[in-house]
Each structure stands twice: as structure tokens, then as C-alpha cells.
Amino acid sequence: MTTPSLTQRPTWQALARHRDSLQSEHLRQFFAADPNRGTSLALEAVGIYFDYSKNRVTSETISLLTALAEEVGLPARIAAMFRGDKINTTEGRSVLHVALRAPRDAKIVVDGENVVPAVHAVLDKMAAFSERIRSGQWLGFTGQPIRNIVNIGIGGSDLGPVMAYEALRHYSERGLNCRFVSNVDGTDIAEAVRDLDASETLFIIASKTFTTIETLTNAHSARSWLVAALGSEQAVSKHFVAVSTAAEEVSKFGIDTANMFEFWDWVGGRYSYDAAIGLSLMIAIGPNNFRDMLAGFHAMDEHFRTAPLPQNLPALHGLLTVWNTNFLEAESVAILPYDQYLKRFPAYLQQLTMESNGKSVTLEGNPVAVNTSPVYWGEPGTNGQHSFYQLIHQGTRRIVCDFLGFTHSLNPLGKHHDLLMANMFAQAEALAFGKTAEEVKAEGTADRLVPHRTFAGNRASNTILLDKLTPAALGKLVALYEHSVFTQGIIWNINSFDQWGVELGKVLAKRIAPELESAASPPLAHDSSTNALIERYRKQRGR
Ligand code: G6Q
């Protein structure tokens, strides 16, 4: 039986007709027509308040979107993911990041084996190791306790740990200095280690495959730096540990597999910081905080797995993204956390969303009939307000904003927090309601300036409000976006869990690198532009 094309589905067509009927309505009219809109189009789950009333939707839109989700089988697909079915069909793998935060007594079977005990065994091993580092029991080669942690990884093996470390810095052991190296640009590792004392430094080499050229190049440079500083190859075992699925590759590098923290091929790179890839984070914040974070993830997992679609926060968030992208032609989503600790959250979500749903063929390999993932970007508020918000307010493009904030600050200081949150609420309000020409005129604005000072409004945003940035809150927030991405992928009928575009990059650079390095002029068989760039580079490097 062939799956009907998305745009041929009756509910999709009903959504298109519904969109046409709403086209002329402004958010001002929606709010005027229903004084309760601000609370009726909002929902609260596991401590997250989600206000979606400032989207161009009505309750009928939500009914149609949830009907579409039912029609494409979202509930069954959710069950399939949690059950461990091999839903990553292009790689023949299960997708089980939810198992990483399942409680000890849960049972999730992959290839005939319950994976939950192995998850907890690794968490326990990480916890014991973290405690040894944090308490000063783990000694370096010269007998010094560790004070510096340098995580070397890239993509999914970097963005999660660094985002979460920054997000939970408040909870971190301040006597430890954590750094993250990802770029193959030598500047990254050089600057990361330049002021460190090697005798007090631990490198965590984080790589699922342990073959990623950037990570291995950085790891080799780190190793040379350490051996040069401490004067012995023997020092490596006390200063290097690995996080990987590839024990053989880890031993080839010279790290004892006893100092390797394992994870599994059913954990995607961008879904892996709650697995051993989060070791640097666990060392920084301690095992208890790490476990609280996992409990937050799990609470959102359970909500996503069990809540009916109209009350299902990640499902609704994902469906609204589909609505804004496919029916209202929004081009991008701005992630705007009003919390300085979440400064790397937009970068983290860029990978989660765009690597997952930046696809153009369906699971069956046919072209997708509609746009898939929007572009994600963002910066913390209020900083963004003084730069790119101009375009969101008065530009010609449609951008959906996710405003994220907390009722309580971790650093209560005078009026700061009220001012911060006043800005967040005010921006969402201004985007929705705008300012009419009449209102601008009434302020005494000269006629010629009226068009410049008018704000159309009617610009969609979500407001996501939590009480406080705790480890559990971060877990809930990340799981919310993970499951929103999943929901979008199910509607578009794409595989959200492969990344052939990333694999391509890994192959291409391997071909050109020897051509740049070789002493004799290599025969170049690229296009004329690439050939000329390689020749110019070689000439200027005197090769
Ligand atoms: C994530 C991607 C990608 C990956 C990096 C690093 O989902 O697959 O970003 O995480 O390419 O890969 P390794 O962990 O194997 O070094």
C-alpha cells in the first residue's frame, strides 16, 4: 500500500482552506473576538507553560492539525520509537535517546536485549569517575589532582555538552575549569590549552565513531602537547579518557578501554549529551545534578508518550511549526532565550532541528511535496533586540519567534530580572499587535515619518515559561524540542535520524587534504574553480 502524498490528504487540504479563511484576520482581531484567548490557547505540562495564543491560529486550526497528526499515525510512531523499533530506516537503527533517561527498572528491548541496565551501568561508571575527579582522588601523572577538563569533540559530541555546561554553570564546581574544543582550526586547541598546566589537565575525547578527522586531529595535538609538557608517553593514560561506541578505534589511539565510557549506535550524535557524551557536564555539575537533568528529560518523555495530542506540548509545538512553515510560509524560527545561561541554546537547537529535518525526500525516497525544516537561529534577549529584531518587527520576511524565559533568576540582582522579563513579554506583544498608522499619528508623528514608525504586527510567536533554570528544567526543555522535531518529521514523512549531508563533508575534505599537503604538484581533477583555489593556496604556501 502506498502512503498518500501529504498534500493530497483531505486534512491537509482542509488546513489549506482553513488558512485561506483566516488570511485576512489579524492577531488583533483574534484577541478582540475572544477575551480568553491568552489562556485558552496555552497549556501547562511538567512545569512548562506554553502560550501559543500569539500564533495565527484558532481552536479549529488546532483540531485540524491534531487530526492530521492522527491521520499520519503520530501516536503509533511515538509508540514505535519508545518500543525500540528500527525507525531510522536508512541506517537500520533504533532511535532510543529516551532509553538514556529511563528509570533503572524500565525495560526497553533492542535486538532481544533490555538496554536499560547497560545505560545505568555506564551512568554509574561516569558517576564514580566524576566523583574521583571532583574530590581530587584521581591524580595526574605527576600526582596532581585534575583542575582542568577539556572536552574534544565536534557536532553532536560538542554542541550538547557545551550548551548544557553553559546552561548549568550555576550548578558547576567552580574549582574546575571546563573547556570545549571542536574546530579543526588549530586556533581552537591552541587557545584552549595555552594557559593550562598539563599536570592538572584531563582530556575527554568524545566521538561516537572515533574516526572524525577534526576530533582525532585535535586529540593528537592535545596528546603531543601533554607528552611534551610532562615528558613521558606514560602520562597519557592518566590524562586521556574516551567517550565512544568504537572500542577498537579508542585502543588504536592509545587510550585504555578501561577509561572509555560507552554508548550505542541507537543514540544519534545530536541526541547524545544525556549519554556518556555528557561526561564533561557530569564532572562539572556532579552526578546528582546530572541525574536530576535526566529526570527532567524523562518527565517530558512520559508526557509526550502519554498525553492526548491536543494537550501534548511537544506535539503541539511541532504541529505549530508545520502550520507556520507550510501554511503561513514562515522561513525561519528565531530562538530567543531570555536567560544568559542559555546563550548556546540556539546553536544547539540549530543542529537538533536542521540536521534532523533538513531533508528533501520521504522515507520511501520520493521528493517531499512541501518545505521541511525552517532555518533556526537566535541569540539571547535582550541582546538580540539591539541588533536583528528590527527585521523581525519591520522586515519583509516571516519569522516565528520562540521566547524562552524563567520566572525566577538564578542571580537575583536588583531590578535586573523584572526588566529582562518585561522586555520578553513586551517583544511578543509588539510583534503580535504592532502599531497602526493611526496610533503613530496620534502620538504626534509627522506624516512623512508615519510609514516608517508603523508596525504591521500579526507576527507569530510562542512563549515558553518555566519557573527556574534547574537541571531538570533544562532536560524538559531539550526533550520538548527533541519531540517537536520528531513530530515535524512524522508529518513530513522524512527520516529525522540520519545525516547523509554531514557524512558527505567528512568524505570530501579527505580527498582535498592530500592535494594541499603533497610536495609534488598533484594532478587536480576538480572543477576549474576548485582547481584554481587549490593551486593558489599551494603557491602561496610555497609548495
Ligand atoms: C550528529 C551528527 C554529527 C556528529 C559529528 C561527530 O547527529 O552525526 O554532528 O555528532 O559528526 O561525530 P563523532 O561523534 O562520530 O565524532
Side-chain angles (χ1 to χ4, degrees), residues 154-157 207-210 212 269-270 351 355 499 502 506:
I154 196 165
S157 301
S207 175
K208 181 172 167 180
T209 55
F210 232 77
T212 305
R270 54 194 172 277
Q351 182 187 26
E355 199 169 274
Q499 55 283 315
V502 181
K506 292 186 181 183

Side-chain angles (χ1 to χ4, degrees), residues 366-417:
N366 301 317
V368 188
V370 297
N371 269 335
T372 55
S373 179
V375 172
Y376 284 76
W377 54 290
E379 279 289 323
T382 59
N383 297 3
Q385 289 174 210
H386 299 266
S387 75
F388 55 78
Y389 277 40
Q390 167 60 36
L391 184 149
I392 307 181
H393 282 289
Q394 287 188 307
T396 53
R397 295 171 191 281
R398 287 195 182 168
I399 295 165
V400 177
C401 296
D402 271 10
F403 290 99
L404 308 171
F406 299 88
T407 345
H408 291 93
S409 171
L410 293 172
N411 293 294
L413 191 63
K415 294 179 173 174
H416 285 260
H417 198 64

Side-chain angles (χ1 to χ4, degrees), residues 478-528:
V478 172
L480 157 60
Y481 279 96
E482 286 176 348
H483 300 321
S484 169
V485 162
F486 178 87
T487 301
Q488 295 162 45
I490 297 301
I491 300 289
W492 292 320
N493 190 30
I494 56 178
N495 184 354
S496 303
F497 301 104
D498 61 9
Q499 55 283 315
W500 299 102
V502 181
E503 312 304 332
L504 174 73
K506 292 186 181 183
V507 175
L508 292 183
K510 279 193 187 141
R511 178 174 163 205
I512 295 186
E515 296 172 346
L516 297 184
E517 286 162 2
S518 97
S521 275
L524 297 176
H526 305 273
D527 58 275
S528 58

Side-chain angles (χ1 to χ4, degrees), residues 4 81 155 220 269 273 288 330 450 466 489 535:
M81 172 171 71
H220 280 288
Y273 96 83
N288 289 342
V450 170
L466 294 89
E535 274 157 16

Side-chain angles (χ1 to χ4, degrees), residues 25-40:
E25 304 262 337
H26 193 287
L27 278 170
R28 261 186 244 124
Q29 291 158 311
F30 287 130
F31 274 87
D34 174 8
N36 296 323
R37 181 181 170 93
T39 46
S40 59

